[in-house]
Amino acid sequence: MKKSIFTRQNNAPIFIILLFIGFIVSCNQPKTSDEKEDSNAISKNGMVVSAHPEATKIGLEILKKGGNAVDAACAVEFALAVSYPVAGNIGGGGFMVARMSNDSIYTLDFREKAPATASKDMYLDKNKEVIPGLSTDSHLAAGVPGSVDGTIVAHKKLGKLDFKDIIQPSIDLAQNGFPVTKKQANRLNVYKEAFQKINDQNIPFLKKDKWIAGDTLRQPELAHTLTLIRDHGRAGFYAGETAAKLVKEMADNKGLITMEDMENYHSVWREPLTGNYKEFKVISMPPPSSGGVALLQLLGITESYPIKDWGWQNIKTIHLMVEAERRVYADRAEFLGDPDFYKVPVKGLLNKDYLKQRME
């Protein structure tokens, strides 16, 4: 019988694991006690890991209130929008992989989508040369946001607690503020000039002097936006005041996102991508994410090599991994795309004979 790579060892209960871009939450029936063993953080009842301590704290509080991993993950998603927008924000998107305690698996695609009027050559000049900054720093760089819809959809299907309880801690965090970390302060200082160049109004990320660790970052306008989502659900973001402001900003600055684009955005439940590595079963995200295919290709390539005998950081091991990654990334660039518009040859990319031939 195949082991699951996500199954807890030592006969402890099966737990839920939930992946968004930026954080992981796992739990069984959450309680408040955690344990440490050796140098690893181990919990019998629940664990939250995210890119910012404030978001992690909010996720833990949701578990303590009796929420499940999906509740905690959704709460952390909104909390990251406040505390760590460089990685998680309501203007972006992502993927979810959830394995529930009854072994059912769900994968949700809530990546950003291109506006309906986007075109193949929209970032090129008349000579078919890339126009610098157009795909990174202009209004044309933005896709139709998926984070809000994805979080709401995931919570509605798999969550336990009331949605207002999930989002309220993030509203409070944005309104009252939080102390920035040393790393955040440094990043805000580094990007000060870029903020000033691109934004034509005061934004909370700008200070007259330098940011230092412990300074409080408050975002009242974000708190207002999150409040509209709390009170009106999906319509609080993809319609009404927020959508109207976003669409006006686009229209005023040669952007493409329209009210129709906002209304038409919907995240998509997709079939999970599964595979095996030796005795382990691996559950991952299918396209349009490239991560699942890339992971299973890497595992499929390295499976037949004695890397355990070679050892970690051994020249042979490093050489193998680099060569495998080169081929996987080449396949990513050539074959992986949005399955709604392009038939991705997943089975062929994961075929063992194909992987062996690629390494010849």
Side-chain angles (χ1 to χ4, degrees), residues 3 27-28 72 110 122 129 156 240 290 292 305:
K3 297 178 183 177
C27 71
N28 181 44
F110 56 101
M122 59 191 280
E129 298 291 334
K156 184 177 181 180
S290 62
Y305 290 85

Side-chain angles (χ1 to χ4, degrees), residues 43-64:
S43 170
K44 289 183 177 180
N45 308 301
M47 182 177 290
V48 177
V49 181
S50 85
H52 197 281
E54 296 293 338
T56 300
K57 192 185 304 179
I58 285 173
L60 285 172
E61 288 302 314
I62 292 297
L63 293 184
K64 291 176 182 179

Side-chain angles (χ1 to χ4, degrees), residues 21 77 81 85 87-94 110-113 143-150 237-238 265:
I21 289 182
E77 171 77 355
N89 59 78
I90 58 173
F110 56 101
R111 278 301 298 270
E112 308 92 322
K113 295 185 179 181
V144 183
S147 293
V148 173
D149 184 83
F237 186 79
Y238 292 93
Y265 182 90

Side-chain angles (χ1 to χ4, degrees), residues 160-214:
K160 288 173 57 182
L161 300 183
D162 188 87
F163 180 72
K164 292 184 178 180
D165 293 332
I166 298 301
I167 196 172
Q168 187 61 48
S170 296
I171 296 173
D172 297 338
L173 190 65
Q175 188 67 51
N176 301 328
F178 63 93
V180 299
T181 64
K182 182 179 179 181
K183 185 176 181 180
Q184 273 186 309
N186 291 338
R187 185 183 287 269
L188 289 169
N189 293 330
V190 166
Y191 284 97
K192 182 176 182 177
E193 187 176 331
F195 287 143
Q196 291 172 324
K197 180 181 178 181
I198 295 174
N199 296 276
D200 58 1
Q201 57 188 343
N202 291 327
I203 59 173
F205 306 117
L206 284 172
K207 282 185 67 176
K208 289 183 179 179
D209 52 355
K210 285 190 173 183
W211 288 89
I212 60 174

Side-chain angles (χ1 to χ4, degrees), residues 58-348:
I58 285 173
L60 285 172
E61 288 302 314
I62 292 297
L63 293 184
K64 291 176 182 179
K65 285 182 179 179
N68 64 14
V70 178
D71 292 316
C74 291
V76 170
E77 171 77 355
F78 284 118
L80 284 173
V82 179
S83 62
Y84 201 74
V86 69
N89 59 78
I90 58 173
F95 302 108
M96 179 190 79
V97 177
R99 178 178 150 232
M100 310 304 288
S101 56
N102 62 1
D103 269 351
S104 56
I105 304 166
Y106 300 91
T107 48
L108 183 64
D109 167 13
F110 56 101
R111 278 301 298 270
E112 308 92 322
K113 295 185 179 181
T117 54
S119 59
K120 175 184 174 184
D121 297 333
M122 59 191 280
Y123 301 127
L124 307 180
D125 62 20
K126 61 182 180 181
N127 297 318
K128 302 293 184 181
E129 298 291 334
V130 174
I131 301 173
L134 208 59
S135 66
T136 55
D137 295 335
S138 78
H139 286 64
L140 290 179
V144 183
S147 293
V148 173
D149 184 83
T151 306
I152 290 172
V153 167
H155 176 264
K156 184 177 181 180
K157 187 177 185 71
L158 302 173
K160 288 173 57 182
L161 300 183
D162 188 87
F163 180 72
K164 292 184 178 180
D165 293 332
I166 298 301
I167 196 172
Q168 187 61 48
S170 296
I171 296 173
D172 297 338
L173 190 65
Q175 188 67 51
N176 301 328
F178 63 93
V180 299
T181 64
K182 182 179 179 181
K183 185 176 181 180
Q184 273 186 309
N186 291 338
R187 185 183 287 269
L188 289 169
N189 293 330
V190 166
Y191 284 97
K192 182 176 182 177
E193 187 176 331
F195 287 143
Q196 291 172 324
K197 180 181 178 181
I198 295 174
N199 296 276
D200 58 1
Q201 57 188 343
N202 291 327
I203 59 173
F205 306 117
L206 284 172
K207 282 185 67 176
K208 289 183 179 179
D209 52 355
K210 285 190 173 183
W211 288 89
I212 60 174
D215 283 348
T216 300
L217 174 59
R218 293 184 177 87
Q219 301 166 84
E221 291 182 341
L222 178 56
H224 175 65
T225 302
L226 293 173
T227 299
L228 292 175
I229 297 170
R230 179 198 68 190
D231 295 342
H232 303 288
R234 188 183 183 282
F237 186 79
Y238 292 93
E241 177 186 334
T242 300
K245 286 180 177 178
L246 189 154
V247 169
K248 183 179 185 303
E249 175 72 15
M250 287 286 156
D252 291 346
N253 294 276
K254 300 180 180 178
L256 298 180
I257 298 176
T258 65
M259 191 66 78
E260 188 176 16
D261 288 322
M262 294 292 286
E263 292 171 355
N264 288 340
Y265 182 90
H266 293 284
S267 48
V268 180
W269 292 103
R270 300 199 183 274
E271 286 296 316
L273 182 61
T274 61
N276 298 306
Y277 174 71
K278 298 184 177 179
E279 75 271 28
F280 294 99
K281 179 180 179 181
V282 182
I283 303 166
S284 193
M285 189 71 203
S289 170
S290 62
V293 173
L295 172 64
L296 290 172
Q297 278 193 304
L298 285 170
L299 293 174
I301 287 171
T302 58
E303 186 174 21
S304 61
Y305 290 85
I307 55 176
K308 183 178 180 180
D309 296 334
W310 291 347
W312 182 69
Q313 294 286 30
N314 179 276
I315 288 293
K316 288 183 178 180
T317 304
I318 295 170
H319 187 198
L320 170 66
M321 295 304 297
V322 169
E323 292 299 331
E325 288 165 0
R326 288 177 64 201
R327 287 154 176 80
V328 168
Y329 203 85
D331 281 354
R332 176 187 185 273
E334 180 72 20
F335 298 112
L336 291 174
D338 187 340
D340 291 339
F341 298 91
Y342 167 74
K343 189 174 182 179
V344 182
V346 175
K347 288 185 178 179

